[in-house]
Amino acid sequence: MAQLDLTFTAGALEEDSSGALVVGVWEGGNLSAAARALPCATALDRAVAASRAFTGKAGQTLTVHAPAGVAWNRIVLAGLGPYDGVDDGAATAIGAELGAVLEGTASLDLGLTPALAARCAQALRLRAHRLPDLRSIRPADEAPPLARVTLRVADPRAAEDAWAPLRAVAEGIELARDLVAEPANRLTPQTFTERARALEPLGVAVEVLDAKALEAQGLHLHAAVGRASVHPPCLVILRWRGGGDGKPALLVGKGLTFDTGGLSIKPAAGMEDMKGDMGGAAAVLGTLHALASAKAPVNVTGLLALAENMPGGNAWRPGDVLVSHSGKTVEVIDTDAEGRMVLADALSWGCATEQPSAVVDLATLTGSIVVALGGHHAGLFCTDPDLAAALRSAGQASGEALWPMPLTPAVDDDLRSAIADLLQCAPAGSGAWGGKLLPDALHAARFLSHFVPEGVPHAHLDIAGTAERKEAAGPCPAGPTGFGVGLLCAWLGVASNG
């Protein structure tokens, strides 16, 4: 998919008989100076007065087709909100709505400051983003994608400077979205690895532990999850060193390119959605792409724990006892609780190898977090108050909200095994009300905490409810969201999309 051609200019906008001109309207229906200067201003006033829905609120648009006196095919009126009240939030809302309604080419003359124009541009680009399309024939009435946008600003150079880090984050989010959208026959652990190697020209060092290396280095939990697949498991290590000699932050992403549930096989209904069970790894790769593109002055190591969980003659089994990288033994209860297994080994290996300053893992891990929080918040499990506060703040800045969840020894009894150090998850039927209500998100988070050394700040983000959405909202169209890239970039000091 071609990237949107987006430029800033201080000059007069070139008339385009096939494109749109976007001008602003203040809340209450008052045309902006740019709109008032058009020869069709009277017609625009009438269009605003005739519309009951359009009030000029930030995030609203009204299209006037083929207005007399101008060469553009249409004028799009964009609500700016209260007079002289455009801020980051309003600029994001304006850009997101324009990304939803514009097609082909467009020129924007909204009177925004360079910084706000850049913020608007990022939201516009993210909302207009289209996922990889594998159709050989497209409907004749399908609107063309938005291909070129010109924004008029007083200082284009300042706008470009503000846009550079925002563009890097947008590219990372789009990369993560595209990966989650890929079918599992096209995105295997090996092709995912190839996508990771594409970051090497940006200055990211890439290392891969293949299936043999996983076993040799003691990552037996990870190796077991993927061993029945013809696409072997692997751990991809991405190192960005833009911050001198300081300890790196460690980002760990669950990367199940497809999850059948293994021998504890899932129901057929809805299994096609399991191609997206690598949203955590996609977010980590998108974040590293953004950091490297922005030349961020930070040190970060990203781990992609990649595998395909399949049934087969050599598949891992309920009842198996496996030795983790940390040396702890784990009794398997349910092979559909595979994400915590690959993450546990990646966390242990990453902490031992990278000596990180802090650790954040992301995973589409449990259905129970969706029951608890729905699709508006990801679950945040963290006992370090400074890290938790920083991540929540980054989530607010990026529009990727986190909600704190309990992470305590209170659930340790539920994970107690008679023959191993830990149960992988609580057995079915062991919870309240006859086993119908198991706090699996809490169990998974507590399980993972056993594989991070004491004293290392660690946060687990369960993004099962936020990695994809059925309806468009704000800068995010329907489908994969790229959740995690924006908040991690904001946490690491790179501009976010909020």
Side-chain angles (χ1 to χ4, degrees):
M1 182 68 65
Q3 289 187 352
L4 174 64
D5 179 8
L6 195 150
T7 58
F8 300 92
T9 182
L13 293 171
E14 182 180 348
E15 293 183 338
D16 182 356
S17 60
S18 64
L21 172 65
V22 182
V23 291
V25 177
W26 298 106
E27 196 161 358
N30 297 315
L31 299 184
S32 67
R36 190 72 57 199
L38 294 172
C40 60
T42 300
L44 298 181
D45 268 329
R46 286 198 297 266
V48 171
S51 175
R52 294 182 177 180
F54 182 81
T55 64
K57 181 179 178 181
Q60 293 182 332
T61 58
L62 177 65
T63 300
V64 181
H65 292 280
V70 296
W72 284 276
N73 174 265
R74 59 201 178 280
I75 302 290
V76 177
L77 300 175
L80 301 175
Y83 183 71
D84 280 349
V86 180
D87 56 13
D88 280 355
T92 297
I94 293 165
E97 182 59 20
L98 291 175
V101 302
L102 294 176
E103 59 188 53
T105 62
S107 300
L108 279 59
D109 193 353
L110 297 173
L112 299 177
T113 66
L116 290 175
R119 184 71 65 183
C120 176
Q122 188 194 40
L124 187 156
R125 172 172 168 162
L126 287 172
R127 181 61 180 269
H129 174 245
R130 296 197 179 186
L131 298 169
D133 193 336
L134 304 179
R135 293 175 296 177
S136 59
I137 301 175
R138 296 178 182 174
D141 60 350
E142 184 177 275
L146 184 60
R148 182 165 56 87
V149 172
T150 303
L151 296 92
R152 188 179 184 192
V153 292
D155 187 343
R157 180 170 298 229
E160 289 284 0
D161 290 343
W163 169 235
L166 296 174
R167 178 179 58 203
V169 176
E171 289 175 355
I173 292 172
E174 290 167 353
L175 172 58
R177 290 177 181 175
D178 289 350
L179 288 168
V180 173
E182 283 283 3
N185 63 317
R186 290 168 59 92
L187 188 70
T188 66
Q190 283 63 52
T191 54
F192 204 136
T193 299
E194 293 172 10
R195 298 295 294 272
R197 287 202 183 279
L199 270 61
E200 289 178 322
L202 296 175
V204 177
V206 180
E207 178 186 355
V208 180
L209 301 185
D210 62 14
K212 289 184 179 179
L214 292 178
E215 293 283 13
Q217 296 197 32
L219 286 80
H220 303 301
L221 307 186
H222 186 167
V225 169
R227 72 186 181 205
S229 173
V230 296
H231 306 293
C234 59
L235 182 71
V236 179
I237 304 102
L238 306 111
R239 296 183 177 96
W240 168 251
R241 296 296 183 265
D245 298 327
K247 288 185 176 182
L250 178 65
L251 309 179
V252 182
K254 173 188 172 184
L256 267 291
T257 57
F258 197 77
D259 178 23
T260 66
L263 294 180
S264 307
I265 198 162
K266 295 176 180 290
M271 193 189 287
E272 67 275 8
D273 293 335
M274 290 300 100
K275 70 177 185 178
D277 206 16
M278 31 57 69
V284 171
L285 184 58
T287 300
L288 267 294
H289 178 97
L291 296 174
S293 296
K295 302 300 180 187
V298 293
N299 293 336
V300 177
T301 297
L303 302 182
L304 314 180
L306 305 178
E308 189 176 62
N309 188 23
M310 300 290 284
N314 65 335
W316 61 313
R317 296 158 293 240
D320 285 356
V321 174
L322 304 172
V323 182
S324 69
H325 175 269
S326 72
K328 293 183 174 69
T329 54
V330 177
E331 181 183 358
V332 178
I333 298 297
D334 183 349
T335 63
D336 194 24
E338 82 300 326
R340 67 201 70 186
M341 301 290 276
V342 300
L343 287 174
D345 269 351
L347 287 167
S348 176
W349 185 93
C351 288
T353 306
E354 301 297 299
Q355 299 295 308
S357 59
V359 183
V360 179
D361 75 77
L362 303 89
T364 50
L365 204 61
T366 68
S368 73
I369 202 67
V370 185
V371 175
L373 299 179
H376 301 292
H377 295 79
L380 167 63
F381 297 83
C382 182
T383 58
D384 185 283
D386 293 335
L387 178 58
L391 288 171
R392 290 198 72 192
S393 178
Q396 290 177 338
S398 64
E400 296 181 340
L402 303 176
W403 195 262
M405 300 292 288
L407 178 57
T408 74
V411 297
D412 281 353
D413 284 346
D414 298 342
L415 300 177
R416 198 178 306 280
S417 168
I419 59 172
D421 295 319
L422 288 166
L423 289 179
Q424 161 221 32
C425 62
S430 64
W433 286 277
K436 294 181 180 179
L437 297 177
L438 283 171
D440 189 44
L442 277 62
H443 290 158
R446 182 61 180 167
F447 176 84
L448 292 176
S449 71
H450 289 287
F451 298 90
V452 177
E454 190 172 347
V456 178
H458 168 231
H460 162 61
L461 308 184
D462 193 334
I463 64 171
T466 56
E468 300 190 54
R469 60 181 314 131
K470 293 183 178 180
E471 297 180 353
C476 187
T481 63
F483 187 98
V485 177
L487 81 87
L488 289 176
C489 286
W491 174 56
L492 293 165
V494 179
S496 65
N497 67 309

